[in-house]
Amino acid sequence: MKAQQNFCGERLKKLRERDNYTTRQLANYLKTTEESITSWENGISEPDIKSLYVLCTLYGVSMDEFFSGVDATKLVAPVYRDEYSNAVWKNKFSRARRFPW
């Protein structure tokens, strides 16, 4: 189980860095703490499935791609991640909204 935690954490960190998000931005977006984000990335704990789904959606990867083992830096964000959609995400971060569920 420890190896899976490290795999998950490494993937989360690479995807966050790929998209230039800070731990503070993610914490605000997920309504959690920066320490939680850091502990996920360091393999100390794991995100719940809802948070993992939200993060995968934010990063533009499916859960299958996330767990596939493909190098996270090689995963390409989908076509719809253009300048407009990036502005929409930044707006959501600034308002610290949550998903409706």
Side-chain angles (χ1 to χ4, degrees):
M1 188 64 179
K2 190 69 170 169
Q4 183 66 19
Q5 288 177 338
N6 290 337
F7 170 80
C8 184
E10 289 172 7
R11 301 282 286 178
L12 289 172
K13 186 170 186 172
K14 284 183 181 180
L15 288 168
R16 178 179 60 79
E17 290 172 345
R18 181 197 73 180
D19 289 356
N20 297 316
Y21 292 121
T22 64
T23 54
R24 176 172 286 174
Q25 288 175 313
L26 293 180
N28 287 339
Y29 190 69
L30 295 170
K31 297 289 185 189
T32 188
T33 63
E34 287 184 69
E35 290 79 16
S36 293
I37 304 294
T38 303
S39 68
W40 298 343
E41 291 180 354
N42 292 331
I44 296 168
S45 64
E46 294 180 339
D48 58 74
I49 192 71
K50 191 186 307 182
S51 296
L52 188 57
Y53 176 78
V54 171
L55 288 170
C56 285
T57 302
L58 175 66
Y59 296 140
V61 297
S62 68
M63 298 280 276
D64 288 339
E65 289 171 322
F66 182 83
F67 288 108
S68 70
V70 176
D71 182 10
T73 58
K74 294 188 181 359
L75 292 175
V76 179
V79 175
Y80 62 84
R81 291 289 303 270
D82 59 8
E83 191 173 316
Y84 171 76
S85 61
N86 284 336
V88 171
W89 281 112
K90 287 180 184 177
N91 185 35
K92 287 186 178 188
F93 272 129
S94 68
R95 294 182 187 183
R97 290 186 181 171
R98 294 184 70 168
F99 274 75
W101 56 81

